[in-house]
Amino acid sequence: MESNTLKLFSPVKVGALELSHRVVHAPMTRLRSDEDHSPSAMMVEYYRQRASEGGLLITESAHPSYDSRGYIGAPGIYTEEHVEAWKKITDAVHAKGARIVMQIAHDGRQSHVDLSGGNAPIAPSVVPYETTVFTQNGWVPNSPHRALETEEIPALVESFRRAAARAKEAGFDGVELHNANGYLADTFLQDGTNKRTDAYGGTLEKRARFSLELVEAFASVWGSERVGVRVSPSGRWGAISDSNPEATFGYFAERLNAYGLAYLHVIEPRVMGTETLEEGQAPVASSFLRKIFKGPIIAAGGFDREGAEQILQQGDADLVAFGRLFSSNPDLPARYRHGYPLTHYVRDAFWGGDESAYIDFPAYAA
């Protein structure tokens, strides 16, 4: 199919953002910040390379506090030094005519005391599980977590609001709440990890409360038309689970309608159309959420150009986010537009490292 007939390369409005194409840079954990958790010079170059006229980039997770990280090398947005370093990224992206949204996340129970000044990781409830997290000693087992006290939650919400305000100061075009992948907000929403009996647990309404308070905090800074939310209804990362994900995420999407958000960012089961959902998983996420959510939907999950065009033509998504392919093809929109061959990604360089297999992938030269 000729690129000029592809919906992928038609303009779209996402909240307050006018975009000229629908190829979105997905948030990816790359772990290359400086020692003070400020974005590094190579991060500036990474995002500059992947910016395209009228395109949208979503950053890797930025963390609202020192103890909200789950991985060493993850950038922060809780000091003025962080703000100044992120400004270099937004300036570089805007110079190429692109838009950039900061994803903000608290990693919750997926962390280690070495990353938080000795404080135990936090979660809505204590639901033991085992994973590995990246510290100065490499990949190590996560530390046991503790349940948040009810009175601690307002200060936690305020830390997200302050992070959103700093993102605005740094020149971003909006913010995205990372409510996916078993991180803190996701563990409040899903009943496999939220066993609370207070105002933040039990019913669907109470389990959604923390996430909605974060959305409201972001909107108080930005206006809702510059706020997005990322969800993973079919996700298993972080040992996340829900007894009825379709009901949970359907309810959450319905509640989000009231805000008039820029978009809902939905992680699909990877490799569209070829994987069988496990018992208890939601059906293909965008198609059932499209029936509920009234705003734009960004779909992510192992798409290629043909799969992206298909979900756009079906009407189940309005934009498609690409991660792994963007990591090794800095000019991915141009390659898709012109049908150029793709460079394969280097998995070993995904989580931390130097400039190798990070900013040394060249743009395509005919």
Side-chain angles (χ1 to χ4, degrees), residues 68 109 141 174 177 194 198 213 257 261 273 277 286-287 291 302-303:
S68 61
R109 66 180 192 166
L177 171 62
N194 186 341
D198 63 356
E213 288 181 353
N257 280 332
L261 297 178
L277 297 179
S286 296
S287 59
K291 299 178 179 69
F303 288 93

Side-chain angles (χ1 to χ4, degrees), residues 23 25 28 30 46 49-51 322-336 340-346 357-358 360-364:
V23 180
H25 176 281
M28 290 180 282
R30 304 307 303 272
Y46 173 88
Q49 290 176 353
R50 283 152 186 80
F322 299 86
R324 293 170 294 167
L325 292 176
F326 237 132
S327 74
S328 53
N329 297 276
D331 56 338
L332 185 66
R335 295 201 193 202
Y336 276 164
Y340 296 155
L342 300 181
T343 301
H344 196 67
Y345 52 86
V346 179
Y358 182 61
D360 57 354
F361 290 106
Y364 181 79

Side-chain angles (χ1 to χ4, degrees), residues 5 46 121 147 162 172 324 357:
T5 65
Y46 173 88
R162 288 196 306 268
F172 280 88
R324 293 170 294 167

Side-chain angles (χ1 to χ4, degrees), residues 111-350:
S111 191
H112 191 277
V113 292
D114 286 352
L115 300 173
S116 59
N119 298 319
I122 57 173
S125 308
V126 175
V127 180
Y129 89 116
E130 296 179 0
T131 187
T132 55
V133 296
F134 194 53
T135 73
Q136 60 267 37
N137 298 314
W139 291 95
V140 300
N142 59 304
S143 298
H145 56 280
R146 68 172 181 86
L148 279 161
E149 299 293 338
T150 307
E151 57 268 22
E152 294 180 279
I153 294 177
L156 194 57
V157 174
E158 173 61 14
S159 74
F160 276 81
R161 190 202 63 77
R162 288 196 306 268
R166 289 193 173 100
K168 192 171 188 178
E169 186 182 348
F172 280 88
D173 298 293
V175 287
E176 176 181 285
L177 171 62
H178 194 4
N179 205 113
N181 294 349
Y183 296 123
L184 185 63
D186 197 21
T187 57
F188 267 89
L189 184 61
Q190 301 204 52
D191 65 12
T193 45
N194 186 341
K195 307 297 183 183
R196 301 177 74 92
T197 57
D198 63 356
Y200 290 89
T203 65
L204 271 172
E205 180 180 14
K206 291 180 178 179
R207 282 189 280 122
R209 178 178 175 178
F210 179 67
S211 297
L212 295 176
E213 288 181 353
L214 297 181
V215 169
E216 290 167 4
F218 283 1
S220 73
V221 173
W222 282 94
S224 56
E225 71 279 3
R226 291 182 181 269
V227 174
V229 175
R230 196 178 209 214
V231 295
S232 52
S234 305
R236 289 292 179 265
W237 179 265
I240 197 73
S241 66
D242 192 87
S243 62
N244 190 343
E246 187 171 1
T248 293
F249 286 91
Y251 173 84
F252 187 46
E254 179 61 51
R255 291 293 303 274
L256 291 176
N257 280 332
Y259 298 95
L261 297 178
Y263 62 81
L264 181 63
H265 188 176
V266 182
I267 304 173
E268 300 281 5
R270 190 169 288 173
V271 190
M272 289 293 297
T274 63
E275 291 192 349
T276 302
L277 297 179
E278 299 174 9
E279 183 179 353
Q281 281 185 288
V284 176
S286 296
S287 59
F288 96 83
L289 290 177
R290 170 60 89 193
K291 299 178 179 69
I292 301 168
F293 186 69
K294 306 304 182 187
I297 289 178
I298 301 175
F303 288 93
D304 58 15
R305 190 179 84 155
E306 290 68 32
E309 183 64 19
Q310 180 182 349
I311 197 169
L312 294 177
Q313 292 290 349
Q314 288 170 186
D316 290 336
D318 302 282
L319 307 93
V320 178
F322 299 86
R324 293 170 294 167
L325 292 176
F326 237 132
S327 74
S328 53
N329 297 276
D331 56 338
L332 185 66
R335 295 201 193 202
Y336 276 164
R337 186 185 294 273
H338 300 294
Y340 296 155
L342 300 181
T343 301
H344 196 67
Y345 52 86
V346 179
R347 184 176 294 276
D348 288 345
F350 282 176

